Amino acid sequence: MSVSAPESVFPRLEPHLLTVSKPIQYVGGELNSVQKPWDEAEVRWVLMYPDAYEVGLPNQGVQILYEVLNERPWILAERTYAVWPDMEEVLREQGIPQFTVDAHRPVGAFDLFGISFSTELGYTNMLNALDLAGIPIHAVDRDTHPLVIAGGHAAFNPEPIADFVDAAVLGDGEEVVLKISDVVREWKGEGSPGGRVEILRRLAASGTVYVPRFYDVEYDDSGAIASVVPNVPDAPERVRKHTLMDLDQWPYPRNPLVPLAETVHERFSVEIFRGCTRGCRFCQAGMITRPVRERSITTIGDMVENGIQKTGFEEVGLLSLSSADHTEIGDVATGLADRYEGSNVSLSLPSTRVDAFNITLANEFSRNGRRSGLTFAPEGGSERMRKVINKMVTEEDLIRTVAAAYSHGWRQVKLYFMCGLPTETDEDVLQIAELAKKVIATGREVSGRNDIRCTVSIGGFVPKPHTPFQWASQLDVETTDERLRQLRETVRADKRFGRAIGFRYHDGQPGIIEGLLSRGDRRVGRVIEAVWRDGGRFDGWSEHFSYDRWIASAASGLAGTGVDLDWYTLREREYDEVLPWDHLDSGLDKDWMWADWEDALAAARGEDIEVEDCRWTPCYDCGVCPEMGTEIQVGPTGQKLLPLSVV
């Protein structure tokens, strides 16, 4: 942690920019970016999304924290992203450390290094950034270096990276980063007594910051975890997630960043609500972000107007896990369409459920004449599978929805499915082809046209912590690839519909590695380190991912532990097994999740079991609402609400 202002690395970096690809991503100076005087800040953060600039800059989580922190005059926050291999080579050859894009300051000079993980496949990029910054990759080897803090959805099981991070935060970050900053400010103001261990002890005592070094993990003879026990008095037995209750009080980003280089999303995004109570059993995001918290129609309108003025973007995306489920979505759509009719501004609703879609809503969002394809996610190919995963969308629902879309001028529909779901059979996957054919046939019939298209996109199922499927076994690579091969051949063999159906999928290899990382324990850290030392970078990119490298590293890293890759991925867990994340509290009751897992298995046997959206039905006792410390209340339109004063 540097006291005096560190020098910018840019003078040393600049001569080499023309030797690397996309040098603009390292320059900084984006519209609405911030540069603050080093000496005027009492607490200094560097924030990272562990991927390339083009993926990391649009990430809303990092942008929000960047702005929230920099609004405080005593806090300085800058950004860094994973550098491409060609830039890494330059940095290592020239002795230039990992730097921020804002003021090109060395990452190692800051007080706190916050890293947001939306996927576990960014872990090797984290290790690379630490090493380039001159920060020891193992937390126990650090002294005056920045505190490395993980966040994001993957942080709900940080055990695979427990050796590399000093702390992890579960849940919403807006308030937590300010509380952490307050604790660090007070500690530094006292002269940093007790060093690194003392500041970590103070953070752990807050109850919402998890410090892995303060917990001892023991394993039994089977290789499973026997116990996870705090080893200091200030560490709670269970660390709870943080939930931001009143989104209207936090209308961020107010000053969205406008990238200098092309990024994966060229739009301004407004999060219209957080959380989801639909109850899809595979969906970690829906489970860990409960309860549902909506932004008001007024706040949404103000955020859209401000964002357009501050950025110049011509597309606005209304984001959430299922945006059409906002209780005022009709009024939101009409109000925004009225306001921007005749302008260059287009509105989009990226996530739409089949049973929440309606033509009136879609027409409002396409009123300016821009009509993109529609995307729906049945997830399971057969109705049996959709009952297993609690995705209560029937074939009739889907056909009715696409018929309405095609009859009103849409020509392209994208359907998203998963392969490898619990209890899945070959026939369940082949039903995807039959469903796609019916979609094309329906589109041709209702539109009277032959240029109807349907794109089938398939992802591999990965069991995730804090979901009812956290106990499920994962499908092996060979079976996954064979099912996808059969499906591809079935689609291509149909001369009537085959050419109208696009087919996109990922093979089973990346999913198995993601499964290892998502449900792994601390022993998996050895595998991650071995992969990184062997050159692993950008594992979320197919052109950089090496399955062979992960397999070899897993064999060497887990040698002598009594467990292996299959043990972590292909094995079904029992109720009484201690899971690596059991001491981390997402608010969900473990007994409720187990009962829901048993309901999934009962649905697979043909029992008619459905868990409806609990905002509109009696409570299913998932545990979140009592965890928030309040009684469930009912809103004016029947939806369940929590008092916004509760934190």
Side-chain angles (χ1 to χ4, degrees):
M1 302 179 186
S2 176
V3 176
S4 59
E7 292 185 1
S8 168
V9 305
F10 196 75
R12 300 160 59 195
L13 181 69
E14 187 176 18
H16 305 282
L17 287 176
L18 293 181
T19 69
V20 301
S21 60
K22 301 181 181 178
I24 192 69
Q25 65 186 307
Y26 305 115
V27 172
E30 302 96 339
L31 181 64
N32 298 324
S33 63
V34 177
Q35 289 192 36
K36 300 174 74 171
W38 183 270
D39 295 334
E40 294 179 11
E42 298 175 64
V43 176
R44 306 174 183 98
W45 283 81
V46 57
L47 302 173
M48 181 182 193
Y49 188 85
D51 209 323
Y53 177 94
E54 61 197 85
V55 178
L57 185 132
N59 180 260
Q60 270 223 320
V62 171
Q63 285 206 32
I64 289 171
L65 298 184
Y66 176 75
E67 189 172 334
V68 166
L69 290 166
N70 276 318
E71 279 188 345
R72 275 62 184 177
W74 54 278
I75 303 177
L76 176 153
E78 299 188 12
R79 297 162 293 127
T80 191
Y81 304 100
V83 299
W84 283 112
D86 56 358
M87 177 57 83
E88 178 187 347
E89 184 177 349
V90 168
L91 298 186
R92 293 192 185 280
E93 287 181 352
Q94 301 300 320
I96 301 173
Q98 179 86 22
F99 55 88
T100 64
V101 297
D102 295 292
H104 298 94
R105 290 163 172 151
V107 165
F110 289 74
D111 299 315
L112 300 121
F113 186 5
I115 310 175
S116 179
F117 293 102
S118 61
T119 172
E120 298 85 356
L121 292 174
Y123 290 160
T124 51
N125 280 354
M126 172 192 67
L127 294 187
N128 206 43
L130 290 173
D131 188 59
L132 286 171
I135 302 171
I137 66 168
H138 295 111
V140 296
D141 296 330
R142 298 174 195 144
D143 185 10
T144 58
H145 306 91
L147 297 176
V148 179
I149 303 180
H153 287 183
F156 276 79
N157 177 27
E159 292 303 279
I161 55 172
D163 290 341
F164 313 127
V165 300
D166 293 292
V169 172
L170 281 64
D172 301 325
E174 291 94 332
E175 293 174 322
V176 172
V177 292
L178 295 177
K179 292 179 180 179
I180 291 173
S181 300
D182 283 332
V183 174
V184 172
R185 181 191 199 186
E186 180 180 2
W187 173 72
K188 290 179 67 177
E190 296 172 2
S192 305
R196 194 176 199 86
V197 172
E198 172 60 18
I199 183 58
L200 290 173
R201 185 197 64 78
R202 295 188 187 189
L203 292 175
S206 70
T208 57
V209 178
Y210 173 54
V211 181
R213 72 166 66 188
F214 293 155
Y215 294 80
D216 293 329
V217 180
E218 299 291 338
Y219 303 93
D220 61 26
D221 293 338
S222 72
I225 295 174
S227 64
V228 180
V229 181
N231 57 36
V232 296
D234 292 303
E237 289 189 7
R238 300 192 78 208
V239 179
R240 66 183 184 274
K241 77 168 181 179
H242 187 83
T243 302
L244 185 70
M245 293 306 299
D246 190 350
L247 297 186
D248 280 347
Q249 295 299 312
W250 298 81
Y252 294 92
R254 289 190 176 107
N255 298 290
L257 295 168
V258 180
L260 296 177
E262 183 179 1
T263 59
V264 293
H265 297 301
E266 300 285 346
R267 67 185 178 209
F268 170 61
S269 298
V270 174
E271 185 185 27
I272 63 175
F273 70 86
R274 277 183 201 172
C276 182
T277 46
R278 288 281 190 165
C280 299
R281 296 183 173 112
F282 58 85
C283 184
Q284 184 189 49
M287 293 291 172
I288 64 178
T289 58
R290 294 182 177 200
V292 171
R293 293 143 287 150
E294 294 187 350
R295 279 198 166 103
S296 68
I297 188 171
T298 301
T299 299
I300 293 169
D302 291 345
M303 291 179 69
V304 170
E305 180 71 15
N306 175 74
I308 291 172
Q309 292 180 358
K310 293 288 182 65
T311 66
F313 281 128
E314 294 183 349
E315 180 181 350
V316 178
L318 303 185
L319 304 185
S320 73
L321 293 174
S322 182
S323 295
D325 284 342
H326 191 288
T327 53
E328 296 182 290
I329 191 60
D331 292 336
V332 169
T334 299
L336 292 176
D338 287 345
R339 180 182 297 184
Y340 298 108
E341 187 171 14
S343 72
N344 292 326
V345 175
S346 64
L347 306 170
S348 64
L349 206 64
S351 53
T352 308
R353 288 180 59 97
V354 170
D355 51 352
F357 175 85
N358 63 75
I359 290 298
T360 300
L361 183 63
N363 283 335
E364 291 295 88
F365 278 98
S366 60
R367 197 194 294 178
N368 65 358
R370 299 183 188 180
R371 179 168 290 185
S372 58
L374 297 171
T375 300
F376 302 108
E379 309 289 1
S382 67
E383 194 151 328
R384 185 189 77 85
M385 280 312 308
R386 291 192 288 276
K387 289 182 178 180
V388 169
I389 64 180
N390 201 48
K391 190 85 171 185
M392 303 313 296
V393 175
T394 66
E395 181 177 302
E396 290 73 21
D397 291 332
L398 179 61
I399 297 303
R400 187 186 315 113
T401 297
V402 298
Y406 285 132
S407 66
H408 283 74
W410 273 269
R411 298 288 173 262
Q412 173 78 29
V413 168
K414 182 177 180 180
L415 303 178
Y416 182 81
F417 298 91
M418 284 190 288
C419 178
L421 290 161
T423 78
E424 178 188 274
T425 66
D426 292 358
E427 183 58 31
D428 291 316
V429 175
L430 293 178
Q431 282 296 309
I432 295 173
E434 298 306 311
L435 199 55
K437 293 175 187 178
K438 291 178 181 178
V439 166
I440 295 295
T442 299
R444 290 173 178 174
E445 179 182 353
V446 300
S447 69
R449 301 172 61 109
N450 288 323
D451 60 345
I452 298 299
R453 293 280 299 169
C454 173
T455 299
V456 171
S457 181
I458 303 180
F461 166 69
V462 177
K464 293 288 185 175
H466 306 282
T467 71
F469 284 172
Q470 65 183 1
W471 291 280
S473 60
Q474 194 169 352
L475 192 63
D476 63 87
V477 170
E478 294 75 18
T479 306
T480 298
D481 291 350
E482 174 58 21
R483 286 180 182 169
L484 292 174
R485 186 197 65 78
Q486 291 181 35
L487 178 59
R488 182 180 65 249
E489 294 304 315
T490 300
V491 171
R492 288 179 176 175
D494 193 300
K495 295 181 179 180
R496 184 182 177 196
F497 298 110
R499 292 186 178 181
I501 300 174
F503 190 63
R504 300 175 183 173
Y505 67 95
H506 298 287
D507 62 38
Q509 294 181 350
I512 284 292
I513 301 308
E514 187 180 343
L516 168 70
L517 300 177
S518 69
R519 292 194 293 177
D521 52 45
R522 296 187 180 186
R523 294 169 292 190
V524 173
R526 308 172 194 176
V527 180
I528 300 169
E529 182 176 347
V531 169
W532 168 71
R533 292 194 183 280
D534 193 37
R537 313 283 192 273
F538 292 97
D539 287 294
W541 295 67
S542 59
E543 59 266 42
H544 293 280
F545 174 80
S546 170
Y547 185 64
D548 291 341
R549 179 162 48 212
W550 277 97
I551 291 295
S553 297
S556 62
L558 297 175
T561 64
V563 296
D564 57 16
L565 176 61
D566 289 352
W567 188 87
Y568 284 107
T569 56
L570 307 185
R571 178 179 63 90
E572 189 172 305
R573 279 71 166 164
E574 297 297 330
Y575 172 81
D576 56 359
E577 179 174 335
V578 178
L579 303 176
W581 52 90
D582 276 349
H583 58 297
L584 304 176
D585 186 3
S586 63
L588 296 165
D589 181 74
K590 185 175 182 178
D591 288 337
W592 173 81
M593 283 192 287
W594 178 260
D596 206 41
W597 167 235
E598 291 186 315
D599 284 348
L601 298 179
R605 296 190 298 267
E607 296 183 32
D608 191 13
I609 297 176
E610 177 181 354
V611 180
E612 297 180 357
D613 187 338
C614 69
R615 281 204 290 170
W616 317 105
T617 64
C619 178
Y620 288 103
D621 295 321
C622 75
V624 168
C625 292
E627 182 77 13
M628 302 310 301
T630 185
E631 295 294 327
I632 302 167
Q633 298 186 2
V634 179
T637 60
Q639 77 273 27
K640 293 179 183 176
L641 301 171
L642 294 174
L644 296 181
S645 60
V646 176
V647 177

